[in-house]
Structure formats: structure tokens, C-alpha cells
Amino acid sequence: MLKISQLRANVVGRNILKGVDLEIGAGEVHAIMGPNGSGKSTLVQVLAGREDYEITGGSVSFDGADLLAMPPEERARAGLFLGFQYPVEIPGVNNAYLLKAALNAKRKAAGLAEVDAYEFLSLIKAKMKFMGMDESFLSRGVNEGFSGGEKKRNEILQMLVLEPRLALLDETDSGLDIDALKVVAKGVNSLRAAERSIVLVTHYQRLLDYVEPDRVHVFADGRILKSGDKTLAHELEARGYDWLREERVA
Amino acid sequence: MSAARDKDAALRSFEAAWHARPGDGIAATRAEAMRRFLALGLPSPRDESWRHTNLRALAGRPFADAEPATPMRASWLAGICAAPIAIVNGRPLPAAPARTDDPALSIESLRASIDRDPASLAARLGSIGETESERWALLNRALFVDGLHVRVTGRVAAPLLIVHSAETARDDAAVHSRVIVDVAAGAQATIVEHHLGGDGHATLVNHTTQLHLAPGASAEHYRVFSSDAHTTHFDALEITQAADSRCRQFTIALGGALLRANLSGRLDAAGAEHDSYSLLVGHGARQVDCVNAIVHAASRTTSRQTARALAAGTSRVVFNSRVRVEAGTAGAQSNQSCRGLLLSPTAEIDTRPQLEILADDVKCAHGATTGRLDPNMLFYLLARGIDRAAAQTLLIYAFLDDLLTGMSIPGARHAIEEALIAELPGADLLRAYR
Ligand SMILES: Nc1ncnc2c1ncn2[C@@H]1O[C@H](COP(=O)(O)OP(=O)(O)O)[C@@H](O)[C@H]1O
Ligand SMILES: [Mg+2]
């Protein structure tokens, strides 16, 4: 589904991604773990099409298409979803409206008619109930005045409504208490399917107790250092990241 | 080539128009105003409040009074009022409008008001201001041909729409008109003035509105400018407020080549509250220059100003607001929020909130920011699959949210949004949004 080869990128002139190689098959859940500042968010934002990040090398194919050649809105309509580490507050843009416009944009790209207003409302209410969100969120501005946990739930809500083929969730678990974490995990698990892939960027092993990954990658200094199965996550939790760097130097 | 241009042609033509006018019952105050106007001349960039707007080109053009005409167009705000009043080239149509359906509302032409009781009307025009920024209002006092005198004596539920249009086939037409609105103690009204027309001609419109709120009165006043891209418009709005009165004012600038809109508000007695909202849209090569001056002349008075400026193309939008709290007052509160959004690299926005506080016990706040669309917000919307043009429009709309939600007549808000949206990209999506 997604194949990243030797991806390199600069942020404000500084080289952050230094040759990322990663392949994700349909139906797989991958976890990317790594220290703060190693470039995990840069990677997922580059994949989503953030324009002020400069790509200096490599390629990414998504369902066989050249992902890097597509503008961000097309990537989203093609089924790529980024759950932001820091969801943006947009006062004055209504939350329900954003959900509906996003869904309609995707439907339009797929040649489908706009969603019926009544159907949309019942769909969204059901998903909100599932996510333990109050309906009053619908009439508020996008993420406006939401707590950290509410913002993360809102990202998952958007994901559930959009049903992406590839979800990139950037630290959706950080800053959540254990109950909120379980809700987010429930949301992610509900989306697991044979035709869908999920990438969880996290630096705690905690989330992985609830969402079991097929593969775990250690990301450090702008590239993937080591990949393994879920036991790698436990090892990282116990030993930290430093042993990996030493192993690599040795 | 024509002969050397007369750089004072406009001034001379106004003087000629003055001499050609038949006298009326307020000739004395008109003469005084004209004398003062001629002595001061047109504003120049040396005048502090005209730094941003250069009138040199205008000063070199002679103008002639626009002739009486009949209206050629309907206002897109017509839906809010069953019986709008048309003022064409400064003259109400029919010449003596009357609305009898609401006993709390009486309307006569200013001409009739002058003829009936010239002394009262001269007094209502007020003493002649000293400051330079009132020069167009001075000229207006000397030359206004007609207009309306509206008296509100009770609660008037339906909004009153006044449609000012300039209908002319000439390039040198000048329209001088005035509207006076008096809201009696405890009375309430909504008055909407819509300025439109121009039709590709370089018309000059010089309009003044005076609005007085007696004790406990409340009013919502709109002035909406949507003249065509050749019109030069000078508009002065003078608001005086007595004890416990409430005024909500909306200035909506959507049209014209050059619009200078002054608002001067005086809070003359305790408990007076004033809210003004300015929606200033610049595109093409338009210039919008808005100057607000609010004076807190009594204790426990409140003013809030909300300005949102948008500038695209090579347009320039200026918003100056000054709040003055007089000595000897206590408990005045004021807030000024000015925000600008630049939509093109060649557009310009200048906002300047100013405070002049001569009292000790006050609560005043002001803020001014100007920027471009937030790239993080834009990326968030794009990452959800929203079209770029639509995303930009949504963010513009969001930027205007505080202002649009302040409008309490749904029909006016809807029509104004429609007119605004027509000027922005992604119009269809925005329509669906509302
Ligand atoms: N917008 C930005 N401007 C400047 N530096 C940035 C920006 N975004 C990220 N960086 C830098 O890029 C590096 C990688 O950051 P990031 O991708 O957020 O790491 P991670 O998500 O792994 O914590 C860091 O050194 C960070 O300071
Ligand atoms: Mg990060």
C-alpha cells in the first residue's frame, strides 16, 4: 500500500529526514517509536503533503501512485489520513461543517453524491457516542478551546467518519489518561481491516498494549534504525533507545 | 493635450454650485459652513487623518450637481423591508415620503423639515466642528440638496431600509445628501442605509448621517457601501447618545474606488453603550479609509469597536480608531479589536487603534493584528481533503465570524454575506456552509 524509499527532507534548511525506507502492506498496523526530535512528525507531515517541508530525495508510492506529486487535498481524498500531533484550532469554522465538507470532498473524488444531511447527522452522532464525545462539540469551532484529550478524540472521530485507507496517527496517545487512551484504542481497533493500514507514531509502549502492532520500527536521527515485531516495543520500554545507537556504532 | 489642469478645480466647482443654489431656511448655517470649508480647502496628506488617502487627483476635477433622476436598480437588501425609501442623487422618491403603517415612525424629506421649522433643523445640524477631519461634513452642510428626517417615537420592529443610489450618465456628478435620525426616549429602531450605483461613472458622493439616541433609546444602524468601482464616497456618521442608550453600528464597505467613512460617536451621559463593527473589504485597486472617533464624555459609558479588514489585489485598507475618555469621568470602558487579513502580497492594511485617556478610573483595551492566512490552519483543512480555494474562503469567513454573528437582522446578515461571498473564491461551498 505504501512504499517509502530513501526519503530525505529539510525543514527550514535543516536536513531532518535522512533516508527513510519503509514498506507497509494492506491490513497492517505499524508502530514507529523514537526519541523526541528524531523526525517522526516530520515524516508523517511530509507524507500528508505539508508544503513548507522541502523534499530533497527519495520517493513514496501509495497504491502505486506517486504520492509526493499529489497536493495534500488529493492525498486526503485518495484515502490518506493524518491524525495531527497538535491538532490546529480554527475558531469560526464549525466542527460539524468540517466533517461534512471533508466527507463530501472524498465522496466527490470517488464519484459519489453528497451525503444526505439527515444521514450524515445520524452517522456522526453514532460515531461520537462511540468515541464518548458530547454532541455539543459539533457546533463548536474546530478544536476551539478543546482540551488536549478532546482534540485527540476529535482526530479519531474524523478518522472514523472518513474511513481512510491509510491512517497516520501522530502521538494520538500522548497526554491521554488511561480511560481516554482506551477510547482512542477502541476507535483505532474498530477501523482495523484487511484493506486498511495504520501507522501509530508514539513514544510510549502504552498504546501498543491496546492496539497490537504487526511491526515496530525504531526511528532515530531521521531514519529507521531497527525494525521488529511487537517484542521490540517491550525491549525499548525496558532498555531505552541508547543501546540501539551503540549497537549501530559497534 | 488639454490646458494646464486647475489643481483647485473641485473647490471652485463646489463654490460655483453654492452660488447657484436657491436659498433656503437654513442659509445662514450653510453659508458659515461654506465659508469655513473654502478657508480650509480639501484635506491634504499633511492632515494627520488623511495621511493615507491622497485627494490630489480629485482636487483637480470640477464637479457639477447630479440632476434629479429615477432609480434604476433595486437594493439587494430589499428583502428586509416591505417599504424601502429610495433616495436618488440625494433626493427622496417620492419627494415627500411617508410611512403611516407604523405610528411610532415618522419620515419626512429634509427639504420639508427645513421648510416647516428651519430654526429647529439648523439647531439639529449642530454647531460647526473645529477639526479638519470634518471638512466633507462642512461641505455637506453647505450643499446637501435633500435627504430624510426620520423620527422614531416608540418601538419599531421592522427594519427601515434607505436606498441611496447615484444615477447619472456623467463623469463629473456630485451628490450631497443627508439623513437625520432621532430616536426618542425609550424608543427602538433598526435603520439600514445602502449606498449603491455609479454605473461606471466617476461619481462623487458626499453623504452625512446624524443619529441621535435619547435616554434609554436603542438603535441598530447599518451603512452598507456597494457602489461600483468608479465611485468616490465620503461618508460621515455622527452619533450622539444620551443616558442609558444603546447603539449598535455596522459599517460594511464592499464597493467604490475610494471610500472614506468617518464615524464620530459621543457618549454624553451615564450608561450609554456603543458597539461598532467595521467590515472593510478591499480588492482590485480600491481604497477604503475608515476613521472612528469615540468620545466618552460621561461616567459609566461603554464602547466596543470591532474591525475586520480584508485586502486583496492592490487594494489598501486603513482603519484608524481613536477613543477619548474625558477628564472628570469615572468607570468608562472601551475595547478596540482591529484585525487585518492580507490576501495578496501587493495589498496593504494599516490599522491604528489609539487611546486618549484624561480620566483615572477607566478600563480600556485595544489590539491590532494584521497577517496572512495561517498556513497551519490551511494545511489542516487541506489534509482533510478540502479544496484549496474553499479552504481559503472558509478561513476568511472564520476571520469575519465575530463581525457577522454580531448582526441581529438575519435577512441583512444573509444578504451581506451573499454580497461578500460573491467577491471571494469558493462561493458555492460557502453558500452550503451557511
Ligand atoms: N516548523 C519547524 N521549524 C523549525 N524546526 C522544526 C519544525 N518542525 C520540526 N522542526 C525540527 O525538526 C526536528 C524533528 O522534529 P519532529 O519531526 O517534530 O520530531 P519528533 O516528532 O520525532 O519529535 C526537530 O529538531 C525539530 O526542532
Ligand atoms: Mg512529533
Side-chain angles (χ1 to χ4, degrees), chain A residues 194-207:
Chain A
E195 74 282 8
R196 194 170 284 140
S197 310
I198 299 170
V199 175
L200 304 168
V201 174
T202 176
H203 59 227
Y204 306 105
Q205 191 249 318
R206 222 171 47 147
L207 176 66

Side-chain angles (χ1 to χ4, degrees), chain A residues 77 105-112:
Chain A
R77 292 175 205 153
K106 189 184 163 200
R107 289 177 64 95
K108 193 174 164 195
L112 298 170

Side-chain angles (χ1 to χ4, degrees), chain A residues 11-12 14 16-17 34-43 45 50 52-53 85-86 170-171 201 203 219:
Chain A
V11 176
V12 279
R14 220 177 98 209
I16 303 294
L17 299 185
N36 266 330
S38 58
K40 305 181 298 295
S41 292
T42 304
L43 172 64
Q45 300 223 35
R50 201 174 143 145
D52 50 347
Y53 291 1
Q85 180 175 3
Y86 303 109
D170 192 359
E171 299 209 25
V201 174
H203 59 227
F219 199 90

